């Protein structure tokens, strides 16, 4: 015992020595080594001694340090040589390090759904699993379940909760155990177990509970559980299976159908989940069976689903037959919804009818949500037609009727911007200032600041212009307009102090996140378990151990460690997503406001050799290309868009095939677009063509890359834009406008972050 007390602190020290540094404390931070040592010393004074479990896990971590490289290789390629190497290591280490190696072998087999092959390795892993026993037990139970070896599954999992009360797999293991009991015919026992796990509600547990109750001789109760899934969670993967089993139970035992309210709930949830075709089918069936008082509302809902499913003729026929008077007539809100749908269907096809419907809608609900939706949609439609004066009227009406509604700030901005584009600078100046005053915390306030400053420049009021630009630069540091403001400030000359405009005081200050800067705590068991799992190359499992501590952690040690794990694993897109969630308002901050590794996760410089090579070959700024990739795929080489664009630079297979011929790539297969060097080679070539087609103007090229060259040509035609910034703000597609602004903004951050002129 005395020897153990002497050895454990040494092992812990070694663990900290050999551990890869926590992300927030790398050499790239702005803190000196001396400051870091002081923080570590202070941290040691505050924290109590690690528990025996923590110490034991740290020992296992040190003992298995040399496994990581070969384990990572196995999980990446799962070749025979990799399996043989890890097995040789496992045999040579009859301790927890060997147990971890056996676990990695079993886990690797399960990655390829080779459950039977995983069992021998997992059985060996259990012999010395110690602190990772819950992992080994869970995956062994999963293997037995997947091979229908119910008895071994029951034996393996039956004491899981008792032995591992704090395991992250506690609930999942209970589900596996319950399904094993079902497979073994122990239906009542399975039902009791699933009933204990119902809170919080989960679709897979409810489905299993329904099956267990039905098999245990209580089909009515089983049907209730299945209804929870089918009617209450229709968007889940389990919903269809629950529906099939529910239908069988109802036929076999002549059970009553689900209540009307549950069936309507399913239809409404499908509608909210944008499953419009399915929702229409549900509403149609409900409407045919509903009491007279409920039928009109259901037919209205059906019409809405049909319209959203692009079945306008069917929707219009239904809407025109809905009762507007009498005992079962639509109420006022439903009448407004009906007018909205009719207006959307007729606008552009029957303008006279559209005007009639909109006039009626104005009268029925002067400030209601359906009028709000109609005015916005109408303004957008005129904007696409390039009838910007008419579009401005609808935006202005929306902003005045519902100033604090869903679209109040946006509509006010669109009206203000179009007023500027129509050269009514006096009114535009008033509207820009009103935008800042009424909506100081809105998404559009940076736009208003910039263009109000541009008007001040035109009026030779450089002091006011500088004041607005300065506010933009400090409050919206890395926003699109923040960068433009700094460019403009460099060009104007101002004598004396900037104009302290009181309007600027209304804009709330950005609050940088607190940066605790603490190291990974030595006494945190989950942290130590995560480090041990890292030695097995098990990144996803290591991250899972840290997630409870990372919740609401912002810049704390857990999120920094998760970033490092994903970056070391090459999952840069996951690190980027974690960083975005951790600090959602990061564009308003200075580089010094957050640890450097957070910025590096937000703006990764990966696949850099190939990215730089092919950017140079096509005379493109590599940081511009990196920004484009960040916006397109977030650096996920396997990304697939809704339009079936593939890979880092999101190329359509047809485009990839065409460019592959130009560069003489050889035989082309669309799977090649998932290979980063090939995607970068073809993508940079294609983007260069966009740049050349637009005479080198990057903003036009980006808009074309997103929306197509034909649309860009059409938008520029007769636009009479003073400069490219006016063109960008005038892009009628919100997605494309924000896409261009984001990439230009991100390029500036890349250059500043990596200190490139």
């Amino acid at each position: 015992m005395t020897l153990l007390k002497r050895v454990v602190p040494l092992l812990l020290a070694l663990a900290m020595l050999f551990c890869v540094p926590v992300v927030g404390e790398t050499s790239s931070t702005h803190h000196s080594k001396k400051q870091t040592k002081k923080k570590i010393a202070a941290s040691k004074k505050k924290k109590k001694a690690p528990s025996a479990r923590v110490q034991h896990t740290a020992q296992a971590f040190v003992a298995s340090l040399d496994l990581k490289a070969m384990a990572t290789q196995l999980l990446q390629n799962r070749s025979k040589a990799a399996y043989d190497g890890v097995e040789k290591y496992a045999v040579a280490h009859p301790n927890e390090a060997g147990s971890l190696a056996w676990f990695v072998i079993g886990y690797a087999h399960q990655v390829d759904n080779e459950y039977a092959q995983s069992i021998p390795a997992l059985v060996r892993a259990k012999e010395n699993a110690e602190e990772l026993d819950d992992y080994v037990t869970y995956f062994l139970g999963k293997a037995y379940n997947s091979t229908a070896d119910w008895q071994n599954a029951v034996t393996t999992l039956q004491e899981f909760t008792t032995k591992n009360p704090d395991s992250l797999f506690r609930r999942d293991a209970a589900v596996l155990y319950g399904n094993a009991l079902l497979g073994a015919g122990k239906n009542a026992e399975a039902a009791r177990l699933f009933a204990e796990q119902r809170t919080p509600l989960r679709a897979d547990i409810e489905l299993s509970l329904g099956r267990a109750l039905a098999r245990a001789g209580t089909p009515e109760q089983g049907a209730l559980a299945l209804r929870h899934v089918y009617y209450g969670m229709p968007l889940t993967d389990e919903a269809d299976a629950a529906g099939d089993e529910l239908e069988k139970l109802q036929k076999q035992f002549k059970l009553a159908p689900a209540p009307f309210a549950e069936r309507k709930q399913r239809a409404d949830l499908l509608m909210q989940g944008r499953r419009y075709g399915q929702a229409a089918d549900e509403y149609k069936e409900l409407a045919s069976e509903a009491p007279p008082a409920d039928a009109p509302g259901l037919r209205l809902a059906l019409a809405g689903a049909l319209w959203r499913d692009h079945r306008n003729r069917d929707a219009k026929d239904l809407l025109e037959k809905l009762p507007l008077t009498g005992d079962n007539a639509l109420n006022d809100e439903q009448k407004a919804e009906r007018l909205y749908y009719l207006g959307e269907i007729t606008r552009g096809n029957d303008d006279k009818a559209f005007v009639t419907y909109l006039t009626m809608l104005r009268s029925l609900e002067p400030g209601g949500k359906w009028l709000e939706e109609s005015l916005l949609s109408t303004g957008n439609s005129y904007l696409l037609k390039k009838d910007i004066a008419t579009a401005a009227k609808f935006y202005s009406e929306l902003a005045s009727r519902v100033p604090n509604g869903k679209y109040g700030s946006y509509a006010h901005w669109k009206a203000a911007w179009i007023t500027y584009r129509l050269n009514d600078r006096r009114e535009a100046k008033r509207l820009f200032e009103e935008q800042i005053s009424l909506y100081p915390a809105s998404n559009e306030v940076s736009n208003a600041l910039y263009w109000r400053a541009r008007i001040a420049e035109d009026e030779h009021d450089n002091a006011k212009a500088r004041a607005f630009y300065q506010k933009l630069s400090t409050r919206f540091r890395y926003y699109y307009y923040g960068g433009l403001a700094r460019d403009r400030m460099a060009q104007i000359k101002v004598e004396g102090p900037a104009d302290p405009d009181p309007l600027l005081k209304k804009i709330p200050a950005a609050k940088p996140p607190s940066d605790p800067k603490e190291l990974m705590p030595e006494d945190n068991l989950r942290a130590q378990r995560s480090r041990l799992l890292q030695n097995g190359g098990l990144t996803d499992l290591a991250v899972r151990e840290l997630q409870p501590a990372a919740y609401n952690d912002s810049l704390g040690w857990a999120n920094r460690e998760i970033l490092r794990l994903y970056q070391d694993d090459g999952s840069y897109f996951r690190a980027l997503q974690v960083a975005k969630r951790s600090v959602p308002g990061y564009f308003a901050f200075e580089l010094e406001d957050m640890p450097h590794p957070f910025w590096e996760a937000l703006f990764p410089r990966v696949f850099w050799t190939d990215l730089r090579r092919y950017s140079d070959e096509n005379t493109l700024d590599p940081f511009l290309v990196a920004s484009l990739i960040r916006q397109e795929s977030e650096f996920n080489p396997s990304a697939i868009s809704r339009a079936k664009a593939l890979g880092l630079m999101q190329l359509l297979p047809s485009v990839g095939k065409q460019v592959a011929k130009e560069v003489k790539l050889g035989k082309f297969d669309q799977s090649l677009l998932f290979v980063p060097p090939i995607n970068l080679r073809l993508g940079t070539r294609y983007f260069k063509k966009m740049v050349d087609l637009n005479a080198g103007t990057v903003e036009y090229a980006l808009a074309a890359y997103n929306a197509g060259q034909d649309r860009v040509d059409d938008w520029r035609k007769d636009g009479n834009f003073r400069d490219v910034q006016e063109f960008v703000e005038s892009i009628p597609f919100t997605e494309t406008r924000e896409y261009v602004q984001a990439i230009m903004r991100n390029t500036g951050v890349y250059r500043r972050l990596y200190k490139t002129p």
Side-chain angles (χ1 to χ4, degrees):
M1 195 66 184
T2 305
L3 179 61
L4 180 62
K5 287 182 178 179
R6 292 178 180 174
V7 171
V8 166
L10 175 61
L11 289 170
L12 282 170
L14 286 169
M16 295 305 296
L17 177 64
F18 284 103
C19 179
V20 179
V22 174
V23 169
E25 302 295 337
T26 63
S27 59
S28 60
T29 63
H30 300 288
H31 305 289
S32 68
K33 292 181 179 179
K34 187 175 181 181
Q35 289 172 317
T36 302
K37 288 179 180 178
K38 286 182 179 179
K39 282 183 279 184
I40 294 173
S43 177
K44 286 180 178 178
K45 287 180 183 178
K46 293 178 182 178
K47 294 175 182 176
K48 59 184 180 181
S51 68
R53 288 188 65 189
V54 170
Q55 293 177 358
H56 191 94
T57 308
Q59 294 173 34
F61 165 75
V62 174
S64 59
L65 278 168
D66 52 348
L67 171 63
K68 186 172 184 178
M70 63 182 76
T72 301
Q73 184 181 14
L74 170 58
L75 291 170
Q76 286 177 347
N77 59 44
R78 299 184 295 287
S79 66
K80 184 179 183 305
Y83 271 112
D84 290 344
V86 176
E87 182 171 347
K88 184 177 179 181
Y89 179 95
V91 171
H93 293 77
N95 52 22
E96 283 184 77
S99 176
L100 178 58
W102 286 119
F103 175 55
V104 171
I105 292 171
Y107 185 86
H109 279 299
Q110 291 200 16
V111 170
D112 292 325
N113 298 319
E114 297 172 350
Y115 293 101
Q117 295 93 318
S118 74
I119 291 173
L122 292 171
V123 169
R124 295 288 298 273
K126 269 193 74 67
E127 295 173 5
N128 294 292
E130 299 290 339
E131 286 302 329
L132 293 184
D133 182 72
D134 60 325
Y135 281 88
V136 177
T137 302
Y138 172 77
F139 284 97
L140 180 57
K142 184 177 180 181
Y144 284 136
N145 263 26
S146 299
T147 55
D149 187 347
W150 308 121
Q151 189 53 54
N152 271 323
V154 168
T155 302
T156 300
L157 295 165
Q158 61 188 354
E159 295 183 1
F160 187 95
T161 301
T162 304
K163 291 183 176 180
N164 306 285
D166 57 351
S167 172
L168 296 176
F169 287 97
R170 187 172 183 272
R171 203 165 181 220
D172 293 327
V175 174
L176 280 180
Y177 180 41
N179 285 326
L181 290 170
L182 270 182
K186 300 179 180 181
N187 302 319
E189 190 177 345
R192 284 194 298 272
L193 186 145
F194 288 126
E196 293 171 357
Q197 299 294 329
R198 294 184 82 176
T199 305
L201 205 62
R202 216 168 84 175
D204 60 338
I205 293 176
E206 289 296 298
L207 174 60
S208 296
L209 176 61
R211 288 169 172 166
L213 289 168
R215 296 177 194 179
T218 54
E220 295 86 356
Q221 295 181 36
L224 282 173
L226 294 171
R227 277 162 42 186
H228 288 160
V229 182
Y230 185 68
Y231 294 106
M233 295 177 271
L235 305 178
T236 62
D237 294 336
E238 293 82 4
D240 288 342
D244 292 341
E245 300 217 14
L246 182 59
E247 185 178 6
K248 291 176 185 176
L249 281 183
Q250 288 173 334
K251 287 181 179 179
Q252 183 178 354
F253 296 99
K254 296 182 173 55
L255 302 178
F260 179 86
E262 285 186 20
R263 297 168 62 196
K264 185 175 184 301
Q265 179 190 31
R266 172 176 165 81
D268 291 342
L269 290 171
L270 287 168
M271 188 77 162
Q272 293 171 22
R274 300 186 178 184
R275 304 260 187 97
Y276 302 128
Q278 287 179 272
D281 293 340
E282 299 288 338
Y283 283 130
K284 186 175 182 180
E285 187 175 343
L286 286 167
S288 67
E289 303 172 10
D294 296 325
L298 287 166
R299 289 201 293 272
L300 175 64
L302 170 59
L306 291 170
W307 170 67
R308 288 182 172 88
D309 200 39
H310 307 294
R311 290 185 270 176
N312 288 355
R313 181 176 296 178
D314 293 339
K316 187 171 184 292
D317 290 344
L318 192 57
L319 290 164
E320 289 176 341
K321 295 174 184 176
L322 290 174
L324 304 178
T325 59
D327 294 338
N328 298 320
L330 300 175
N331 60 37
D332 284 350
E333 184 177 351
Q334 290 171 331
K335 288 176 182 177
E337 185 177 356
R338 170 183 174 272
L339 290 170
Y340 168 72
Y341 293 142
L342 286 169
E344 291 300 295
I345 292 169
T346 56
R347 189 183 57 240
N349 300 314
D350 185 347
D351 288 341
K352 184 177 180 180
F354 165 72
V355 170
T356 300
Y357 292 133
L358 182 56
T359 302
M360 294 169 66
L361 186 54
R362 286 189 181 106
S363 175
L364 185 61
E365 55 161 35
K369 69 175 184 178
W370 296 108
L371 177 60
E372 189 179 10
E373 295 287 347
S374 183
L375 291 173
L376 178 73
S377 182
T378 305
N380 290 343
S381 70
Y382 279 107
L383 194 65
L384 291 173
K385 295 175 185 176
K386 295 194 286 188
D387 184 352
I388 61 173
T390 304
K393 292 178 182 178
F394 285 98
Y395 290 131
S396 181
E397 181 184 352
L398 171 53
S400 62
R401 284 181 180 271
V402 200
N404 298 315
K406 186 177 178 181
Y407 307 113
S409 173
Y410 175 80
H412 187 283
W413 166 249
K414 297 301 287 187
W417 173 246
I418 293 173
T419 301
Y420 179 85
R421 289 283 296 123
L422 293 172
N423 291 315
D424 187 349
R425 298 303 166 88
R426 182 176 180 180
E427 178 64 7
K429 178 167 67 172
R430 185 189 72 80
L431 289 173
F432 290 156
E433 292 180 356
E434 190 174 78
Q435 183 83 30
I436 298 166
S437 178
L438 293 177
Y439 308 104
S442 69
N443 292 331
E444 295 79 21
V445 70
S446 64
N447 313 33
L449 285 168
Y450 178 80
W451 292 104
R452 175 62 186 89
R454 288 288 297 269
I455 290 177
E457 277 195 76
D458 292 342
E459 294 175 342
H460 306 293
D461 188 352
N462 286 354
K464 183 174 286 291
R466 189 176 73 171
F468 279 75
Y469 288 142
Q470 186 64 48
K471 185 69 174 183
L472 259 174
S473 179
T474 55
R475 171 59 181 83
F476 303 96
R477 186 65 185 172
Y478 295 117
Y479 283 60
Y480 171 70
Y481 281 115
L484 293 181
R486 285 187 289 279
D487 292 342
R488 301 297 299 186
M489 278 196 294
Q491 298 174 25
I492 61 176
K493 295 181 179 179
V494 180
E495 294 181 2
D499 182 2
D501 196 308
L503 186 63
L504 301 178
K505 295 180 180 179
K506 292 194 172 188
I507 299 172
K511 295 181 180 179
S514 60
D515 180 7
K517 302 183 180 68
E518 80 275 26
L519 293 171
M520 178 190 287
E522 295 178 31
D523 60 347
N524 187 293
L525 180 59
R526 294 210 180 280
Q528 299 300 335
R529 280 161 62 88
S530 174
R531 295 167 66 222
L532 179 55
L533 289 163
Q534 292 170 46
N535 282 352
L538 300 158
T539 300
D540 288 342
L541 300 182
V543 167
R544 183 169 178 164
E545 281 289 337
L546 297 171
Q547 283 172 338
Y551 185 70
N552 287 334
D553 184 48
S554 190
L555 304 181
W557 68 267
N559 270 323
R560 297 204 306 271
E561 180 69 359
I562 289 173
L563 292 184
R564 184 188 65 75
L565 280 172
Y566 280 142
Q567 290 169 326
D568 288 353
D569 191 50
S571 299
Y572 299 100
F573 65 99
R574 291 182 177 174
L576 174 54
Q577 291 163 357
V578 169
K580 281 183 175 181
R581 288 195 301 269
S582 300
V583 196
Y586 58 90
F587 280 115
F589 308 144
E590 296 280 0
L591 290 182
E592 295 77 16
D593 290 336
M594 292 197 302
H596 209 262
F598 265 83
W599 288 111
E600 291 174 338
L602 287 164
F603 298 91
R605 190 167 56 170
V606 294
F607 311 112
W608 194 248
T609 300
D610 290 311
L611 190 155
R612 185 71 183 253
R613 172 189 172 188
Y614 294 120
S615 296
D616 289 347
E617 282 186 8
N618 291 284
T619 60
L620 297 171
D621 176 356
F623 290 128
L624 172 64
V625 174
S627 298
L628 187 151
I629 294 170
R630 185 185 190 272
Q631 201 67 20
E632 287 284 353
S633 67
E634 294 188 331
F635 295 92
N636 180 3
S638 302
I640 303 175
S641 75
R642 293 192 302 271
K644 307 302 180 186
L646 310 177
L648 289 173
M649 296 187 71
Q650 291 288 275
L651 297 174
L652 290 169
S654 57
V655 172
K657 184 177 182 179
Q658 173 191 335
V659 180
K661 287 182 180 178
E662 295 174 7
V663 300
K664 299 178 181 178
L665 184 63
K667 188 176 181 180
F668 176 80
D669 181 89
Q670 70 176 40
S671 64
L672 293 174
L673 294 177
F674 294 121
V675 179
I678 294 176
N679 191 287
L680 290 167
R681 182 183 181 188
L682 302 180
T684 51
R685 170 76 174 226
Y686 179 65
F687 181 53
K688 172 61 173 174
K689 291 170 66 175
M690 297 292 101
V691 173
D692 290 344
L693 281 171
N694 291 281
T697 303
V698 170
E699 290 88 343
Y700 297 150
L702 290 171
Y705 197 89
N706 178 262
Q709 187 63 48
D710 290 344
R711 285 197 178 100
V712 172
D713 291 341
D714 181 58
W715 295 335
R716 292 179 63 188
K717 185 180 179 182
D718 304 323
N720 297 319
F721 301 110
R722 268 202 311 177
D723 53 30
V724 72
Q725 288 78 32
E726 281 196 11
F727 165 79
V728 171
E729 188 58 53
S730 299
I731 293 174
F733 288 1
T734 300
E735 177 189 327
T736 303
R737 181 175 63 256
E738 293 179 349
Y739 173 91
V740 174
Q741 291 178 344
I743 293 174
M744 297 304 296
R745 169 199 70 198
N746 294 346
T747 303
V749 180
Y750 263 110
R751 289 171 180 159
R752 185 174 176 86
L753 179 62
Y754 296 105
K755 303 194 184 303
T756 298

